[in-house]
Amino acid sequence: MKITKRNFSMNYFAIGAVIGLVLFVCIYGFRVLDVTYDEWLLTGKDLQQHYVGWKFFRNAPWTFPIGCHNGLTHPYYVSVLYTDSIPLFAIFFKIFSPILPQTFQYFGLFGLMCYVLNGGMASVIIARFNKNKVYCALGSIFFILSTPVLQRLFGLLTENSRHTSLAAHFLILGALGIWIYKDKFQPYWKAALAFSILGVLCVLIQMYIIFCVGGIMCGYLLHCLLKEKDWKRTLIVFGSFGVSSFLVFFVIGGLTDVLASGSNGFGIYSANLNTLVNPYKYSTFFNEMGMYSGQYEGFSYLGLGMIVLCLIGAGFLIREAVRFGRKKMLKAKIKEFIKRHFYGLFSLFIVVSVFGGLAITTSVYWGKRIILQVYLPTKWYDLLAIVRSSGRFMWVIMYLVMILALYLITKLVRNKKVSLVIVLLCVCLQMADLAKPLKNIHNQYTSEAEEDDTLAAESFWETQLGDFKHVVYFPVNGYGLYQMMQIGTKASNVGVDVNYFYMSRFLTNKLVKQEKKRLKEIFESNQLDEDTLYILDYQNAHLYKDRCNIYEIDNKIVACKRELTGVKKYQDVYVSEESPLVELEFSYDGLGRKQAHKGWNEPEYGDDGMWTSGQSVVRVLSGGAKKAHIMIEYEKGRKKGKTKVTFNGKEKGYIDNKQSGTFEFDAKLKETISNRKSKYINWLFFDTNSTFKVKPKDEILHCGIYVKKITISYME
């Protein structure tokens, strides 16, 4: 059979694709590919968000824009895009929803697709400079096992970075491939069509990647413009990319006035200068290097095998430089190389500089140490907030480094068998370095999974939630995102909509204020909806306690017009004659945590209390009580020292950090007219003069005593 250019590309693509398929099954097993098995998606955080977003979208009626529904922001419509539920799959499978099983998930299939396409694209790129199929197969493994893909696709339960759609790195590799094969895309329509397809896929899979693809496209167009002086190509390709992406973005409901366009964080979710060599939690041999807390977003570890390959490539490059230097030809060779490739090198330099600058941001860190801090005007930060997780741009640089290393081995190792042996050994080293994290991932996804419903564990959510039609938070943003996610999960099981959920963007400030005003009018006029379950904060529960039935369910204050059975009546947290005993439990699901103001550490040695730091503060609210007896139950710390207890500026005594027990005192209270104004709040301070250090994640915590419960008793 005659080998055509198309057959050539498909043959090499198939090599990487097959390896990607095999590696996916070896790492994740077959269970995640079972479309009726969804327990593994309910283990918390991002995966659960993506799946619940799909469930609500699937059960909603079709609208236009076609990606919108109001199940998670009732009554307002938002796109399935904003729960990162992969619109490409969500819309496709919704079409066939009537014939699909009642329980249906596509995230395992998406993961398999990513591995197959990542491998296929990588193999085609390598084939550009090395036609040896074994070399392409070996080289593609580095890309298939890219550490950011391992981190993002399904990841580990211990991490906060399981953002499945961000594993679609074949889109980045596809854009690089078009540039590398630029001569194959000489006709305008080919280049325009190729980049338009990538742009549309970015919108339908993960909008963040469109910035990576768009930046690479700009580098490609600059290269063509400098070399060919052809503005027509620039206008056609850029225009088609922008128009096609925008049209699809509009059709699936990306344009919204419900969610804010961005949020603060540029400079926090950046890339560390050590990111290419920092293994984080993805090495068998090395411990993680230091980095700032949000810089997991810029994680781009090359892996030990690829680092060694880079060093070998650099060694051969130095050898060549020395060889030409001895012949007095080095300067001439460099000039010749730069002259021949100037336009491409210059364009590549611009792309790397822009992506690198955005990834590192204005706060430059090496490990935990800040090297440089640049301050920009506030308006600039507002603009850059659109790409606040800019550390992800380092992925482009990571792939360029990997391509360069494989290129150098191909071009500088004269014996092709030797080059194969070098790459094979480096692949083995890479696999050995990733063996431990791969084993952890494999064990996690081939073992029995359990739903994380610790924040919505009571039977009410299973037995009585379905009696309502709506769940409404008042205020809308009054509860944590993970609590909202678990309630949203329970609501999706019984067909109940909610007015807020864990989204990739927050509700606009304007809408939050509008909803607050509307709900306030409902409660003040006593017009609660019979079919609505309201979830309140402390202040609203106190203000409207006589106008509805209020209960405490899983550390949430629940209000409704009807009476509920089998649930605990809510005890007002404002101490008063009517509420003479207030118990603030500092356990993970205790209401006391809501009154912990600042200076507290999350429980790392159990879930029944919280650690004080140097200074920790508790809010005490009075609903009319002028005096109260306060009892503090605590456990000892791990270092000798004392904790001074102060209430409303008056010293009440000292706690020995090395002894467990209770501390009691009487105190005068000022009435809490508004818990949003500090002058109406009673402040309880714990000042710990000696703390011990722990390092639970990527930061050091200073812990003093372990406070479990604070009881406030009304005194006449």
Side-chain angles (χ1 to χ4, degrees):
M1 184 179 89
K2 184 178 179 181
I3 303 297
T4 64
K5 291 180 180 179
R6 181 177 179 182
N7 288 334
F8 165 83
S9 297
M10 290 305 297
N11 287 338
Y12 283 98
F13 180 89
I15 292 170
V18 170
I19 295 174
L21 186 151
V22 172
L23 286 175
F24 178 88
V25 172
C26 289
I27 296 170
Y28 300 100
F30 289 100
R31 293 195 73 191
V32 297
L33 297 174
D34 180 354
V35 295
T36 63
Y37 169 57
D38 66 351
E39 284 86 352
W40 66 284
L41 295 166
L42 299 173
T43 52
K45 303 177 183 176
D46 291 338
L47 278 177
Q48 191 163 345
Q49 176 207 30
H50 311 334
Y51 179 53
V52 173
W54 149 246
K55 288 179 70 178
F56 272 99
F57 176 65
R58 175 188 180 180
N59 294 324
W62 284 102
T63 63
F64 187 85
I66 62 174
C68 286
H69 66 100
N70 66 353
L72 293 171
T73 50
H74 186 82
Y76 306 99
Y77 285 80
V78 294
S79 175
V80 69
L81 171 77
Y82 294 109
T83 48
D84 295 308
S85 302
I86 313 170
L88 177 66
F89 279 53
I91 293 170
F92 175 79
F93 285 113
K94 181 172 179 174
I95 295 172
F96 300 99
S97 182
I99 61 173
L100 295 178
Q102 183 177 359
T103 298
F104 182 88
Q105 62 84 15
Y106 48 72
F107 296 93
L109 297 175
F110 174 77
L112 177 63
M113 183 189 78
C114 287
Y115 268 62
V116 168
L117 295 183
N118 290 354
M121 290 291 185
S123 182
V124 170
I125 287 174
I126 298 167
R128 178 63 171 177
F129 50 81
N130 193 320
K131 302 298 187 293
N132 186 295
K133 292 181 179 179
V134 177
Y135 191 92
C136 292
L138 292 172
S140 68
I141 294 174
F142 291 110
F143 296 82
I144 296 166
L145 297 181
S146 164
T147 52
V149 172
L150 293 175
Q151 175 201 32
R152 294 293 180 169
L153 182 60
F154 303 140
L156 294 167
L157 288 176
T158 54
E159 297 179 31
N160 293 322
S161 53
R162 300 186 301 157
H163 205 139
T164 304
S165 57
L166 282 171
H169 285 202
F170 60 87
L171 298 170
I172 299 173
L173 295 174
L176 290 173
I178 295 171
W179 193 354
I180 290 170
Y181 281 91
K182 70 182 279 289
D183 57 311
K184 309 296 182 185
F185 293 88
Q186 196 60 32
Y188 297 148
W189 70 268
K190 276 191 176 182
L193 179 62
F195 275 112
S196 294
I197 290 173
L198 287 180
V200 167
L201 287 175
C202 286
V203 175
L204 290 173
I205 295 174
Q206 174 50 247
M207 273 296 298
Y208 219 98
I209 297 179
I210 202 170
F211 296 106
C212 296
V213 171
I216 295 168
M217 180 190 68
C218 288
Y220 158 83
L221 291 175
L222 178 61
H223 185 182
C224 294
L225 183 62
L226 292 173
K227 188 174 183 179
E228 303 164 7
K229 307 296 186 294
D230 188 354
W231 281 98
K232 189 175 179 180
R233 174 183 298 276
T234 302
L235 294 174
I236 291 175
V237 174
F238 191 89
S240 61
F241 175 82
V243 170
S244 59
S245 301
F246 178 80
L247 284 176
V248 174
F249 186 65
F250 168 73
V251 169
I252 67 171
L255 297 178
T256 176
D257 58 358
V258 175
L259 302 175
S261 59
S263 55
N264 297 327
F266 183 80
I268 297 176
Y269 303 104
S270 61
N272 201 287
L273 289 176
N274 66 21
T275 188
L276 295 177
V277 294
N278 183 356
Y280 189 36
K281 300 174 183 178
Y282 288 83
S283 174
T284 304
F285 307 121
F286 306 109
N287 296 323
E288 60 184 286
M289 300 168 67
M291 66 178 184
Y292 191 65
S293 59
Q295 291 182 328
Y296 66 85
E297 288 286 5
F299 173 61
S300 305
Y301 178 51
L302 289 169
L304 181 59
M306 177 50 68
I307 291 172
V308 170
L309 191 69
C310 290
L311 293 175
I312 293 173
F316 277 105
L317 188 62
I318 293 170
R319 188 195 69 173
E320 287 295 293
V322 170
R323 185 167 70 87
F324 284 117
R326 287 173 179 170
K327 296 180 180 180
K328 309 295 183 183
M329 298 171 57
L330 180 61
K331 191 174 181 180
K333 284 287 183 180
I334 292 174
K335 282 186 176 180
E336 179 188 350
F337 181 81
I338 292 176
K339 184 178 180 180
R340 188 165 67 248
H341 301 288
F342 175 76
Y343 299 127
L345 291 172
F346 178 76
S347 303
L348 188 61
F349 173 78
I350 296 297
V351 169
V352 170
S353 298
V354 171
F355 278 136
L358 287 172
I360 294 170
T361 72
T362 55
S363 302
V364 184
Y365 283 85
W366 175 265
K368 289 281 189 178
R369 180 178 296 180
I370 188 164
I371 305 297
L372 178 66
Q373 179 75 58
V374 178
Y375 295 95
L376 300 176
T378 302
K379 290 184 178 179
W380 286 38
Y381 283 108
D382 293 340
L383 179 63
L384 291 168
I386 299 173
V387 290
R388 68 173 190 149
S389 299
S390 60
R392 299 168 185 174
F393 293 140
M394 189 58 70
W395 299 338
V396 177
I397 297 174
M398 178 193 70
Y399 285 125
L400 287 171
V401 170
M402 291 165 68
I403 292 168
L404 176 61
L406 290 163
Y407 174 82
L408 289 176
I409 298 300
T410 295
K411 297 300 180 183
L412 300 180
V413 180
R414 298 184 183 92
N415 188 316
K416 301 308 175 186
K417 290 184 179 179
V418 172
S419 68
L420 278 175
V421 171
I422 290 173
V423 174
L424 174 61
L425 291 175
C426 288
V427 166
C428 292
L429 194 56
Q430 188 86 344
M431 297 286 282
D433 188 34
L434 296 176
K436 184 177 178 180
L438 288 177
K439 182 180 178 182
N440 291 337
I441 292 173
H442 175 79
N443 290 340
Q444 178 177 304
Y445 290 101
T446 55
S447 302
E448 198 67 35
E450 292 185 10
E451 178 181 352
D452 180 9
D453 60 357
T454 53
L455 303 178
E458 291 193 26
S459 61
F460 167 84
W461 308 106
E462 304 288 347
T463 59
Q464 298 187 60
L465 181 61
D467 296 335
F468 297 89
K469 292 182 179 178
H470 316 286
V471 171
V472 171
Y473 294 95
F474 177 34
V476 177
N477 54 357
Y479 277 79
L481 295 179
Y482 291 129
Q483 294 194 65
M484 291 183 174
M485 182 169 67
Q486 292 191 17
I487 291 176
T489 301
K490 301 298 184 182
S492 71
N493 294 335
V494 293
V496 176
D497 59 51
V498 297
N499 71 331
Y500 197 30
F501 186 68
Y502 176 24
M503 313 282 282
S504 61
R505 291 286 185 268
F506 296 112
L507 295 178
T508 64
N509 290 331
K510 179 181 177 181
L511 185 58
V512 169
K513 291 177 181 178
Q514 177 182 312
E515 282 298 287
K516 180 181 177 181
K517 182 180 178 181
R518 183 180 71 85
L519 290 168
K520 183 178 179 182
E521 290 174 354
I522 289 174
F523 273 82
E524 289 187 344
S525 62
N526 202 16
Q527 296 295 314
L528 277 70
D529 185 355
E530 185 80 25
D531 294 325
T532 300
L533 184 75
Y534 300 90
I535 301 180
L536 312 181
D537 65 359
Y538 287 107
Q539 187 175 46
N540 287 323
H542 177 67
L543 289 174
Y544 306 114
K545 61 185 177 181
D546 298 325
R547 306 192 187 192
C548 54
N549 296 294
I550 304 184
Y551 305 91
E552 180 186 330
I553 305 174
D554 282 316
N555 192 29
K556 295 159 191 65
I557 306 169
V558 171
C560 54
K561 192 170 184 178
R562 68 179 77 163
E563 289 189 8
L564 300 179
T565 58
V567 293
K568 179 183 176 183
K569 277 280 188 179
Y570 172 67
Q571 179 68 44
D572 193 0
V573 77
Y574 288 68
V575 63
S576 65
E577 188 173 0
E578 295 78 23
S579 180
L581 185 67
V582 173
E583 295 180 328
L584 302 179
E585 292 187 15
F586 282 73
S587 62
Y588 187 75
D589 59 353
L591 285 169
R593 291 169 61 87
K594 294 284 188 180
Q595 301 304 326
H597 182 58
K598 63 178 182 179
W600 294 91
N601 290 324
E602 297 293 327
E604 297 297 333
Y605 308 102
D607 59 1
D608 58 344
M610 293 178 71
W611 289 98
T612 61
S613 63
Q615 184 182 80
S616 303
V617 186
V618 177
R619 302 184 305 169
V620 177
L621 309 178
S622 168
K626 295 182 179 180
K627 193 175 181 181
H629 180 76
I630 298 176
M631 182 174 70
I632 302 160
E633 299 177 37
Y634 63 92
E635 289 186 4
K636 63 184 179 180
R638 298 184 179 180
K639 192 171 182 181
K640 199 174 188 180
K642 292 185 177 181
T643 296
K644 182 171 70 172
V645 179
T646 307
F647 191 85
N648 283 345
K650 294 184 178 181
E651 183 181 310
K652 295 296 180 180
Y654 288 84
I655 292 174
D656 187 340
N657 292 356
K658 290 292 287 181
Q659 292 184 0
S660 301
T662 60
F663 182 83
E664 302 180 52
F665 61 89
D666 294 339
K668 292 182 179 180
L669 304 180
K670 49 189 175 182
E671 185 174 0
T672 306
I673 299 173
S674 170
N675 69 6
R676 293 185 174 89
K677 295 183 179 180
S678 61
K679 66 179 181 178
Y680 298 121
I681 294 174
N682 301 280
W683 299 105
L684 173 59
F685 282 78
F686 294 89
D687 290 290
T688 306
N689 60 21
S690 183
T691 60
F692 64 93
K693 296 179 181 179
V694 292
K695 189 178 181 183
K697 295 175 184 175
D698 53 2
E699 59 183 336
I700 294 175
L701 302 181
H702 296 265
C703 300
I705 59 172
Y706 192 59
V707 178
K708 299 180 70 174
K709 185 177 181 181
I710 298 176
T711 304
I712 307 155
S713 304
Y714 173 81
M715 296 178 67
E716 294 183 2

